[in-house]
Amino acid sequence: MRTPPLPVPELPSPWHGEALSRTPSRVELAVRDDDGHTATVRLQRCTVGRLRDAYPVAANDVDLEITDVDSAAVRAELLGAVIAAIHSADPRCRRVVVPFPAAAADDIAAAREVGLHPVVEVDVPGGELALLVAVPAWVRAGDEEADRVPGA
């Protein structure tokens, strides 16, 4: 499967991102908002990252990880902003996958509140992850099963 290049998403206000590193399939951003909150955002095509064997990935699926954030509320707000920016920058992206440690109940609950749907728990090197998924409206409109990872 050919892995298309991952575009750098343009974050909506009040968020600002600066690329820390970039390859064709991976982007790492230092992110801050107008109130001084900061975080690190890592995006990677699922076809080449830690999730490549975890489920039947599609070429444009994106693995999203947010770290170094100071509160659950800021993480939830940033999740929504980054997901919208990914779908805007990459119109062929059918799935933004947000993995959390399976035991991270508070993080999973916060992600559900911003519209992510838990679909499956998977074992990857280093532990068990709960995969939550965000899909764009055009996918949901054509596929009632879009929030479910195929084969899960």
Side-chain angles (χ1 to χ4, degrees):
M1 172 183 322
R2 185 182 85 66
T3 301
L6 180 63
V8 177
E10 186 173 322
L11 300 177
S13 182
W15 297 100
H16 311 279
E18 178 184 337
L20 296 173
S21 65
R22 186 169 198 292
T23 68
S25 61
R26 187 174 196 278
V27 175
E28 184 172 356
L29 302 170
V31 176
R32 64 176 171 74
D33 72 3
D34 294 340
D35 293 328
H37 299 288
T38 62
T40 302
V41 173
R42 290 178 191 87
L43 308 171
Q44 185 166 31
R45 289 287 187 208
C46 292
T47 54
V48 298
R50 62 186 169 165
L51 301 178
R52 70 181 164 271
D53 297 322
Y55 74 96
V57 301
N60 288 76
D61 288 1
V62 175
D63 176 353
L64 165 58
E65 180 182 21
I66 296 176
T67 59
D68 307 322
V69 64
D70 58 5
S71 76
V74 171
R75 179 190 308 265
E77 181 184 332
L78 183 55
L79 266 174
V82 173
I83 289 167
I86 291 168
H87 286 145
S88 178
D90 187 1
R92 291 181 179 251
C93 178
R94 296 181 59 87
R95 222 176 269 110
V96 177
V97 182
V98 183
F100 290 102
D106 291 342
D107 289 332
I108 293 168
R112 290 182 74 158
E113 287 183 23
V114 296
L116 281 98
H117 304 282
V119 291
V120 68
E121 290 184 4
V122 298
D123 290 319
V124 296
E128 184 177 9
L129 298 175
L131 303 185
L132 284 81
V133 174
V135 297
W138 66 268
V139 171
R140 285 191 308 273
D143 184 0
E144 294 300 316
E145 295 291 312
D147 291 331
R148 187 180 65 76
V149 173

